[in-house]
PDB file of all heavy atoms in Angstrom:
ATOM      1  N   MET A   1      24.691   4.751   1.064  1.00  0.00           N
ATOM      2  CA  MET A   1      23.907   5.249   2.167  1.00  0.00           C
ATOM      3  C   MET A   1      23.467   6.692   1.943  1.00  0.00           C
ATOM      4  O   MET A   1      22.650   7.196   2.685  1.00  0.00           O
ATOM      5  CB  MET A   1      24.699   5.144   3.456  1.00  0.00           C
ATOM      6  CG  MET A   1      24.928   3.694   3.868  1.00  0.00           C
ATOM      7  SD  MET A   1      23.429   2.741   3.933  1.00  0.00           S
ATOM      8  CE  MET A   1      23.426   2.225   5.590  1.00  0.00           C
ATOM      9  N   CYS A   8      15.945  10.716   4.509  1.00  0.00           N
ATOM     10  CA  CYS A   8      15.662  11.184   5.869  1.00  0.00           C
ATOM     11  C   CYS A   8      15.537  12.696   5.901  1.00  0.00           C
ATOM     12  O   CYS A   8      14.668  13.240   6.584  1.00  0.00           O
ATOM     13  CB  CYS A   8      16.741  10.722   6.839  1.00  0.00           C
ATOM     14  SG  CYS A   8      16.617   8.965   7.240  1.00  0.00           S
ATOM     15  N   PHE A  12      11.817  13.713   6.769  1.00  0.00           N
ATOM     16  CA  PHE A  12      11.717  14.095   8.177  1.00  0.00           C
ATOM     17  C   PHE A  12      12.283  15.484   8.452  1.00  0.00           C
ATOM     18  O   PHE A  12      12.849  15.735   9.508  1.00  0.00           O
ATOM     19  CB  PHE A  12      12.384  13.026   9.043  1.00  0.00           C
ATOM     20  CG  PHE A  12      11.800  11.668   8.826  1.00  0.00           C
ATOM     21  CD1 PHE A  12      12.454  10.717   8.068  1.00  0.00           C
ATOM     22  CD2 PHE A  12      10.554  11.346   9.352  1.00  0.00           C
ATOM     23  CE1 PHE A  12      11.893   9.462   7.840  1.00  0.00           C
ATOM     24  CE2 PHE A  12       9.982  10.105   9.131  1.00  0.00           C
ATOM     25  CZ  PHE A  12      10.660   9.162   8.378  1.00  0.00           C
ATOM     26  N   VAL A  25       4.093   9.296   0.113  1.00  0.00           N
ATOM     27  CA  VAL A  25       3.879   9.246  -1.340  1.00  0.00           C
ATOM     28  C   VAL A  25       4.054  10.640  -1.946  1.00  0.00           C
ATOM     29  O   VAL A  25       4.712  10.787  -2.987  1.00  0.00           O
ATOM     30  CB  VAL A  25       2.493   8.654  -1.677  1.00  0.00           C
ATOM     31  CG1 VAL A  25       2.163   8.829  -3.152  1.00  0.00           C
ATOM     32  CG2 VAL A  25       2.445   7.182  -1.283  1.00  0.00           C
ATOM     33  N   GLY A  39      24.050  -0.107  -9.202  1.00  0.00           N
ATOM     34  CA  GLY A  39      24.017  -1.407  -9.858  1.00  0.00           C
ATOM     35  C   GLY A  39      22.804  -1.654 -10.730  1.00  0.00           C
ATOM     36  O   GLY A  39      22.612  -2.752 -11.217  1.00  0.00           O
ATOM     37  N   PRO A  41      19.966  -0.436 -13.943  1.00  0.00           N
ATOM     38  CA  PRO A  41      20.066   0.084 -15.307  1.00  0.00           C
ATOM     39  C   PRO A  41      20.153   1.611 -15.282  1.00  0.00           C
ATOM     40  O   PRO A  41      19.568   2.263 -14.423  1.00  0.00           O
ATOM     41  CB  PRO A  41      18.753  -0.372 -15.955  1.00  0.00           C
ATOM     42  CG  PRO A  41      17.818  -0.588 -14.819  1.00  0.00           C
ATOM     43  CD  PRO A  41      18.666  -1.006 -13.648  1.00  0.00           C
ATOM     44  N   ALA A  45      17.970  11.515 -15.788  1.00  0.00           N
ATOM     45  CA  ALA A  45      17.052  12.245 -14.909  1.00  0.00           C
ATOM     46  C   ALA A  45      15.794  12.687 -15.657  1.00  0.00           C
ATOM     47  O   ALA A  45      14.702  12.703 -15.090  1.00  0.00           O
ATOM     48  CB  ALA A  45      17.752  13.440 -14.289  1.00  0.00           C
ATOM     49  N   ILE A  50       8.031  10.200 -11.894  1.00  0.00           N
ATOM     50  CA  ILE A  50       7.133   9.199 -11.317  1.00  0.00           C
ATOM     51  C   ILE A  50       5.716   9.533 -11.761  1.00  0.00           C
ATOM     52  O   ILE A  50       5.203  10.608 -11.466  1.00  0.00           O
ATOM     53  CB  ILE A  50       7.240   9.191  -9.777  1.00  0.00           C
ATOM     54  CG1 ILE A  50       8.667   8.802  -9.372  1.00  0.00           C
ATOM     55  CG2 ILE A  50       6.214   8.230  -9.178  1.00  0.00           C
ATOM     56  CD1 ILE A  50       8.934   8.906  -7.895  1.00  0.00           C
ATOM     57  N   GLU A  51       5.105   8.606 -12.474  1.00  0.00           N
ATOM     58  CA  GLU A  51       3.782   8.852 -13.036  1.00  0.00           C
ATOM     59  C   GLU A  51       2.683   8.074 -12.332  1.00  0.00           C
ATOM     60  O   GLU A  51       1.507   8.263 -12.610  1.00  0.00           O
ATOM     61  CB  GLU A  51       3.799   8.515 -14.526  1.00  0.00           C
ATOM     62  CG  GLU A  51       4.794   9.377 -15.294  1.00  0.00           C
ATOM     63  CD  GLU A  51       4.954   8.942 -16.729  1.00  0.00           C
ATOM     64  OE1 GLU A  51       4.368   7.915 -17.126  1.00  0.00           O
ATOM     65  OE2 GLU A  51       5.681   9.627 -17.460  1.00  0.00           O
ATOM     66  N   LYS A  58       3.661   0.940  -2.200  1.00  0.00           N
ATOM     67  CA  LYS A  58       4.194  -0.378  -1.875  1.00  0.00           C
ATOM     68  C   LYS A  58       5.463  -0.250  -1.024  1.00  0.00           C
ATOM     69  O   LYS A  58       5.646  -0.985  -0.054  1.00  0.00           O
ATOM     70  CB  LYS A  58       4.494  -1.135  -3.170  1.00  0.00           C
ATOM     71  CG  LYS A  58       4.842  -2.577  -2.979  1.00  0.00           C
ATOM     72  CD  LYS A  58       4.910  -3.281  -4.331  1.00  0.00           C
ATOM     73  CE  LYS A  58       5.185  -4.751  -4.161  1.00  0.00           C
ATOM     74  NZ  LYS A  58       5.151  -5.479  -5.420  1.00  0.00           N
ATOM     75  N   LEU A  79      15.623  -0.294   5.731  1.00  0.00           N
ATOM     76  CA  LEU A  79      16.492  -0.207   4.559  1.00  0.00           C
ATOM     77  C   LEU A  79      17.788  -0.984   4.783  1.00  0.00           C
ATOM     78  O   LEU A  79      18.271  -1.673   3.884  1.00  0.00           O
ATOM     79  CB  LEU A  79      16.782   1.252   4.201  1.00  0.00           C
ATOM     80  CG  LEU A  79      15.607   2.000   3.569  1.00  0.00           C
ATOM     81  CD1 LEU A  79      15.918   3.485   3.462  1.00  0.00           C
ATOM     82  CD2 LEU A  79      15.267   1.424   2.196  1.00  0.00           C
ATOM     83  N   GLU A  81      18.089  -3.537   6.789  1.00  0.00           N
ATOM     84  CA  GLU A  81      17.676  -4.947   6.784  1.00  0.00           C
ATOM     85  C   GLU A  81      17.532  -5.467   5.354  1.00  0.00           C
ATOM     86  O   GLU A  81      18.001  -6.555   5.022  1.00  0.00           O
ATOM     87  CB  GLU A  81      16.348  -5.082   7.530  1.00  0.00           C
ATOM     88  CG  GLU A  81      15.829  -6.484   7.665  1.00  0.00           C
ATOM     89  CD  GLU A  81      14.488  -6.508   8.392  1.00  0.00           C
ATOM     90  OE1 GLU A  81      14.313  -5.754   9.369  1.00  0.00           O
ATOM     91  OE2 GLU A  81      13.616  -7.280   7.961  1.00  0.00           O
ATOM     92  N   TRP A  91      20.526  -2.156  -6.363  1.00  0.00           N
ATOM     93  CA  TRP A  91      19.333  -2.321  -7.191  1.00  0.00           C
ATOM     94  C   TRP A  91      18.770  -3.743  -7.100  1.00  0.00           C
ATOM     95  O   TRP A  91      17.562  -3.908  -6.909  1.00  0.00           O
ATOM     96  CB  TRP A  91      19.648  -1.936  -8.634  1.00  0.00           C
ATOM     97  CG  TRP A  91      18.488  -2.141  -9.542  1.00  0.00           C
ATOM     98  CD1 TRP A  91      18.354  -3.087 -10.510  1.00  0.00           C
ATOM     99  CD2 TRP A  91      17.255  -1.405  -9.546  1.00  0.00           C
ATOM    100  NE1 TRP A  91      17.125  -2.977 -11.123  1.00  0.00           N
ATOM    101  CE2 TRP A  91      16.435  -1.948 -10.548  1.00  0.00           C
ATOM    102  CE3 TRP A  91      16.772  -0.344  -8.796  1.00  0.00           C
ATOM    103  CZ2 TRP A  91      15.168  -1.467 -10.822  1.00  0.00           C
ATOM    104  CZ3 TRP A  91      15.500   0.137  -9.068  1.00  0.00           C
ATOM    105  CH2 TRP A  91      14.720  -0.421 -10.072  1.00  0.00           C
ATOM    106  N   PHE A  94      16.935  -4.158  -3.785  1.00  0.00           N
ATOM    107  CA  PHE A  94      15.741  -3.320  -3.780  1.00  0.00           C
ATOM    108  C   PHE A  94      14.644  -3.937  -4.646  1.00  0.00           C
ATOM    109  O   PHE A  94      13.493  -4.052  -4.236  1.00  0.00           O
ATOM    110  CB  PHE A  94      16.094  -1.917  -4.265  1.00  0.00           C
ATOM    111  CG  PHE A  94      14.956  -0.946  -4.258  1.00  0.00           C
ATOM    112  CD1 PHE A  94      14.428  -0.485  -3.059  1.00  0.00           C
ATOM    113  CD2 PHE A  94      14.401  -0.502  -5.448  1.00  0.00           C
ATOM    114  CE1 PHE A  94      13.377   0.423  -3.053  1.00  0.00           C
ATOM    115  CE2 PHE A  94      13.349   0.405  -5.447  1.00  0.00           C
ATOM    116  CZ  PHE A  94      12.837   0.855  -4.239  1.00  0.00           C
ATOM    117  N   GLU A 100       8.810  -9.294  -3.921  1.00  0.00           N
ATOM    118  CA  GLU A 100       8.267 -10.219  -2.916  1.00  0.00           C
ATOM    119  C   GLU A 100       6.957  -9.714  -2.319  1.00  0.00           C
ATOM    120  O   GLU A 100       6.086 -10.497  -2.002  1.00  0.00           O
ATOM    121  CB  GLU A 100       9.266 -10.407  -1.774  1.00  0.00           C
ATOM    122  CG  GLU A 100      10.485 -11.184  -2.152  1.00  0.00           C
ATOM    123  CD  GLU A 100      11.520 -11.193  -1.034  1.00  0.00           C
ATOM    124  OE1 GLU A 100      11.230 -10.682   0.072  1.00  0.00           O
ATOM    125  OE2 GLU A 100      12.623 -11.687  -1.282  1.00  0.00           O
TER     126      GLU A 100
END
Side-chain angles (χ1 to χ4, degrees):
M1 292 307 239
C8 286
F12 303 103
V25 170
I50 298 174
E51 299 173 355
K58 189 171 183 175
L79 287 171
E81 183 181 320
W91 177 250
F94 182 70
E100 290 173 6

